[in-house]
Amino acid sequence: MHKARPLSTAAVLIAALITSPSCAGQSPSTAVAEPPAHHEKGGYRNLAPHEEHGFFDFLKWWFGGGPKDAPAAAADQLPAFAPPVVAPDLNSINHAPEDVMQVTWIGHAAFLVQRAAWNILTDPMFSERASPLSVGGPKRLAPPGIALKDLPRIDAVIISHNHYDHLDEDSVKQLGNAPR
């Protein structure tokens, strides 16, 4: 008697595609539906009332001009915000257990995920500002939960998308070419 081999991922996907119902096998509808009002021959049309703006309006907005919404409260009426920062347990981070997953939140979308001697870093952002310039752009409200220099060896980096608060050029350069 021979031992059954487990199916490969490719075999399972092919079987799922073959056995799943297909839209191609269905007969077309005889009723012709009217397209939604926001569809036009050239594409989408915004149905909401709005002012038309030109290039100079864009430049005015870009450089901070234009109408401003009134703040909900005056700045002097707001409490000072200082988020609590807990010192990282570097011993636990540098000696993560191999039989369980350990996740350390660094800040925003940056996490250190550790499992079975693998160290995976998501969305590395350790700079002071989320910006291509070190003197402008949104500033951090709190320092990273762990400093870049205190990270263990990083085996892989996962970057969800290329916004400055998820992909920081200086952080990536400091990580170097060792991570995948």
Side-chain angles (χ1 to χ4, degrees):
M1 186 154 102
H2 75 288
K3 190 175 182 181
R5 291 186 350 201
L7 292 175
S8 70
T9 304
V12 171
L13 288 174
I14 290 170
L17 287 172
I18 291 171
T19 59
S20 66
S22 168
C23 292
Q26 298 175 359
S27 61
S29 172
T30 56
V32 177
E34 288 294 319
H38 64 270
H39 284 226
E40 288 187 339
K41 186 172 182 159
Y44 174 82
R45 177 173 61 105
N46 187 356
L47 298 177
H50 63 282
E51 294 179 37
E52 293 293 327
H53 296 285
F55 180 70
F56 289 107
D57 294 315
F58 167 75
L59 287 178
K60 185 177 175 183
W61 167 81
W62 182 261
F63 289 105
K68 302 279 189 257
D69 292 333
D76 60 349
Q77 294 176 339
L78 298 173
F81 178 71
V85 177
V86 178
D89 181 353
L90 295 178
N91 185 50
S92 176
I93 290 170
N94 287 307
H95 302 96
E98 292 193 17
D99 57 339
V100 296
M101 182 178 293
Q102 177 171 289
V103 179
T104 303
W105 181 52
I106 297 171
H108 192 50
F111 289 86
L112 174 62
V113 181
Q114 298 175 284
R115 170 76 175 154
W118 273 83
N119 298 311
I120 301 167
L121 183 63
T122 68
D123 291 332
M125 202 308 194
F126 292 86
S127 294
E128 182 75 18
R129 296 180 181 274
S131 170
L133 307 171
S134 61
V135 295
K139 193 174 181 181
R140 293 188 87 102
L141 295 178
I146 182 172
L148 190 60
K149 67 177 181 53
D150 293 331
L151 288 174
R153 175 202 79 253
I154 300 298
D155 298 298
V157 176
I158 298 172
I159 298 169
S160 64
H161 61 288
N162 66 350
H163 291 172
Y164 294 115
D165 58 337
H166 293 258
L167 173 58
D168 176 48
E169 183 179 7
D170 289 338
S171 298
V172 171
K173 284 180 179 177
Q174 288 182 51
L175 285 167
N177 292 328
R180 295 182 192 175

